Amino acid sequence: MSRTTRTRNLLGSAAVVALAGAGIGLAAAPASAADVSTWDALANCESGGNWAIDTGNGYSGGLQFSPSTWAANGGTGSAANASKGEQIAVAERVLASQGWGAWPSCSAQLGLSGTTGAAPAPAPAPAPAPAAAPEAAPAPATQSSTGSTSEAPVAATPAAPVAPAVPEIAAVESSGETYTVEAGDSLDLISADLDIEGGWTRLAGANLDTVTDPDVITVGQVLELPVAP
């Protein structure tokens, strides 16, 4: 019961005495009582679960009864000296007449309302959905020369470049004339400048002994010129 808003007296001690003198017994706890676990939870909030607490602040017992409320609902002596079962029996009568609002702060924290039963059980949390497998990115679409769109084909591993075939160079007879290689020369340029019929292959054929690679000649190298075919 909240220490600031508790009901101090339901019937008054004089009324209790009058009822007892008339031979009228106090009512038992209602059949629709809250379960013990609910009262334990309320006691944990009200008094830290200490059913024998009495700090002298005007409230005692696990559910913090005021003396007038305790007596008006069938309690005898001090709530702090009563058993847990006795305290719960008196609390059931308070609950039946006042509802959970007799303990406003803690009942609100526990989600208790009305005059009977325990707080509704919280709904179970939904299980997390399994993570979806990542989708493969679609292949980009390509547009043909006719304007139609199609899926891009899977790229194949590029083949290694094929070196151009080198023409077979046959030996050619030398004319006895020579040419000295200058900077920037190549067999192709020399054969074009000198109008060698058959081109650079005949020039290379006349120099098989000194030109092992047609792409490699050096400045100052002396080349034999081939005879005319």
Side-chain angles (χ1 to χ4, degrees):
M1 300 175 72
S2 170
R3 292 165 176 73
T4 58
T5 59
R6 301 178 194 277
T7 300
R8 300 296 183 182
N9 198 337
L10 293 178
L11 299 176
S13 57
V16 175
V17 174
L19 289 173
I24 301 174
L26 291 170
S32 56
D35 58 32
V36 174
S37 62
T38 302
W39 292 117
D40 282 334
L42 187 62
N44 284 333
C45 177
E46 289 284 344
S47 63
N50 184 351
W51 293 88
I53 191 170
D54 185 359
T55 61
N57 65 347
Y59 301 93
S60 62
L63 301 172
Q64 293 291 277
F65 294 100
S66 67
S68 58
T69 299
W70 173 255
N73 288 277
T76 58
S78 168
N81 295 327
S83 66
K84 173 180 173 179
E86 291 176 303
Q87 294 184 52
I88 290 176
V90 172
E92 292 287 359
R93 299 185 184 100
V94 176
L95 173 61
S97 60
Q98 297 186 55
W100 290 109
W103 299 271
S105 177
C106 287
S107 63
Q109 293 180 43
L110 296 173
L112 298 166
S113 62
T115 59
T116 59
E135 296 183 1
T142 57
Q143 188 168 2
S144 68
S145 59
T146 61
S148 61
T149 301
S150 62
E151 293 295 325
V154 177
T157 304
V162 179
V166 177
E168 184 177 352
I169 299 174
V172 176
E173 184 182 354
S174 173
S175 66
E177 297 180 9
T178 61
Y179 175 84
T180 302
V181 177
E182 299 177 354
D185 276 344
S186 67
L187 294 183
D188 189 49
L189 289 175
I190 295 169
S191 61
D193 288 344
L194 299 179
D195 292 324
I196 297 175
E197 190 174 349
W200 69 269
T201 56
R202 283 185 58 80
L203 179 59
N207 294 275
L208 290 178
D209 293 337
T210 57
V211 178
T212 57
D213 184 345
D215 290 329
V216 180
I217 56 176
T218 59
V219 175
Q221 184 177 359
V222 178
L223 301 177
E224 297 287 338
L225 299 181
V227 296

